Each structure stands twice: as structure tokens, then as C-alpha cells.
Amino acid sequence: MVGASLAAALANSTLKIAIIDKNAIVTADKEIVDLDGRKIALSYGSYKILQKFQLWPYLDNCATQIQQVHVSKQGHFGATRISSSDIDTETLGYVVTLSELNQGIQKFLAKHDNIKFYCPAML
């Protein structure tokens, strides 16, 4: 995910990029393998970065907005609550499964001729 994300950030450059992974990469036109069902919360800042790199359209239909966060500990005094309206943004961030994030990045990368995959492979 880290290497693919970096490749996506550099995709519109003149660089030739190679992604080498010991695991087979599931291409965008095949069913994605579930990465154990984990979900990831993307901050508002991460969302803006993904927009800047033109990746967000590949995630928009599967991401769920975070409108409010409540932090507390049962049996202890105090709690913190924040909502997107408190900071005058449309959202605090988004939640997406790792599988959906991976699939979105793969679809994005597949549209760039300067990115080549060598998977499965090892150096």
C-alpha cells in the first residue's frame, strides 16, 4: 500500500516507476482479495491529498463520511466530541476498507503507462 500510494502520487510525473512485490497484485479488472476486512480512517487532510493526486474519484463511491467523533472512557470523567460543523468542513474524514482503498489505487495506477508492475517478484 505504501509503495502503490507513492507511485500514485508520482503517476503524473515524467518518471518511469516500477512496483515490485513478492505477492501477486490483483489488477483492477479482477475481483479484489479481501485484506482481512480491516478499515482505515482517512483524515480530512488525507482526503484533500487524494483529491490533489486525482485519486479520490476511485474511492468516493465506497468511502463513508465521518461527521462526528466522540472520545470517552467508560467509568471516567470527561469526554471529547467534535463534529465537522465545529471546524466548518463538510467532513472530518472518511472510512474505507483496505480492500477498497487498494482496488481504487490499482485502478488509478492501471491508467498510467509510466508505471509497471513486477509481481510476484523479489529483488
Side-chain angles (χ1 to χ4, degrees):
M1 294 297 291
V2 174
S5 297
L6 177 59
L10 298 172
N12 292 319
S13 71
T14 58
L15 297 173
K16 292 182 180 181
I17 301 167
I19 296 177
I20 303 167
D21 196 310
K22 69 177 181 176
N23 300 310
I25 297 293
V26 178
T27 58
D29 61 339
K30 295 182 182 174
E31 189 174 324
I32 197 75
V33 175
D34 186 25
L35 299 175
D36 76 20
R38 288 183 290 168
K39 294 182 176 157
I40 187 168
L42 300 170
S43 69
Y44 182 74
S46 296
Y47 155 71
K48 296 303 278 183
I49 289 168
L50 293 171
Q51 276 189 322
K52 179 181 177 183
F53 293 132
Q54 301 169 352
L55 256 164
W56 190 251
Y58 297 88
L59 302 172
D60 190 34
N61 65 337
C62 60
T64 303
Q65 283 191 346
I66 301 170
Q67 294 296 317
Q68 183 177 11
V69 175
H70 174 124
V71 181
S72 62
K73 185 172 182 182
Q74 187 175 2
H76 290 79
F77 179 76
T80 300
R81 291 181 184 89
I82 186 169
S83 70
S84 56
S85 62
D86 293 337
I87 58 172
D88 205 27
T89 63
E90 69 266 20
T91 185
L92 294 173
Y94 290 86
V95 175
V96 64
T97 68
L98 284 176
S99 293
E100 292 165 332
L101 180 59
N102 184 44
Q103 187 174 24
I105 291 172
Q106 295 302 321
K107 285 180 181 178
F108 175 82
L109 294 176
K111 295 188 179 230
H112 293 84
D113 294 333
N114 61 325
I115 300 173
K116 301 291 182 214
F117 290 87
Y118 300 94
C119 312
M122 290 180 67
L123 292 176

